[in-house]
Amino acid sequence: MIDAEKLKKNIEEIQERIEKACLRSGRNPSEVKLLGATKGVDIDTIRLANELGVKVFGENRVQEFLPKYNQLPHLEWHFIGRLQTNKIKYIYDKVLLIHSIEKVEQIQELEKRCSKVGKNIDVLIEVNIGGEPSKGGVLPDNVEGLIEKICECKYVNLKGFMTIPPIEKDEKKLRQYFRRMKEIFENYKKLNYNNVKIEVLSMGMSNDFEVAIEEGATLVRIGTKLFGERPKT
């Protein structure tokens, strides 16, 4: 478990950096939400982070999420990792937002599960903005097909997009990926679809969240800078 004073300092520093990035880009800091990425983080640390002001938490793996949810069901949980269709049944009624929709099968399974209990679920489409074969998400040209499938649903609601750009040392190139993602976000935000209210752009992590905010992110997913280095798995 991370030292309480260290965690408090980390949270304060991240919030300050978020505010400064917003000010540099003429944005209101209230437009950007901080999500604590809890992969490899213990229950006591998550609980403490919540007490210190972190309100949203995101988990990457179903098997790691479930015991955390069982102990902290009152927190706002998001699922931010790659999601196998056969694991949807374990989380659809426990998370507020799923960030990683990339297949028609996921949408169909969510609609089936949610229809049985009369529950709506909010989702983001993950966009593979760099076209990397090793990463999840759909290519930009395939976004519309998934949106159309969500429009056929009664219980699945699209709230926006998520992306993880290529690791890039050149800030100019990195910024181009985020800028392209913002264009996609704005283009679909203008259109009038059923079950679609585009308002969340989830992009930016520990090493690039300030650039992401400057280019339009509304939610940043911070793990290492918040909780410190986690064990490699």
Side-chain angles (χ1 to χ4, degrees), residues 24-40:
R24 283 195 299 272
S25 50
R27 302 180 64 193
N28 189 321
S30 65
E31 296 175 18
V32 180
K33 186 177 287 188
L34 167 64
L35 176 149
T38 57
K39 178 182 175 183

Side-chain angles (χ1 to χ4, degrees), residues 62-107:
V62 172
Q63 63 268 32
E64 192 175 341
F65 165 69
L66 292 174
K68 292 176 180 177
Y69 174 83
N70 288 337
Q71 293 191 60
L72 299 169
H74 60 287
L75 299 186
E76 180 178 327
W77 286 102
H78 294 192
F79 192 82
I80 60 176
R82 295 190 80 168
L83 180 59
Q84 293 172 278
T85 304
N86 63 359
K87 297 287 180 67
I88 283 173
K89 60 188 175 186
Y90 299 116
I91 70 161
Y92 77 97
D93 57 347
K94 298 176 179 66
V95 298
L96 189 76
L97 185 65
I98 296 174
H99 289 225
S100 46
I101 295 300
E102 59 177 343
K103 298 175 183 176
V104 169
E105 292 80 8
Q106 292 170 317
I107 297 165

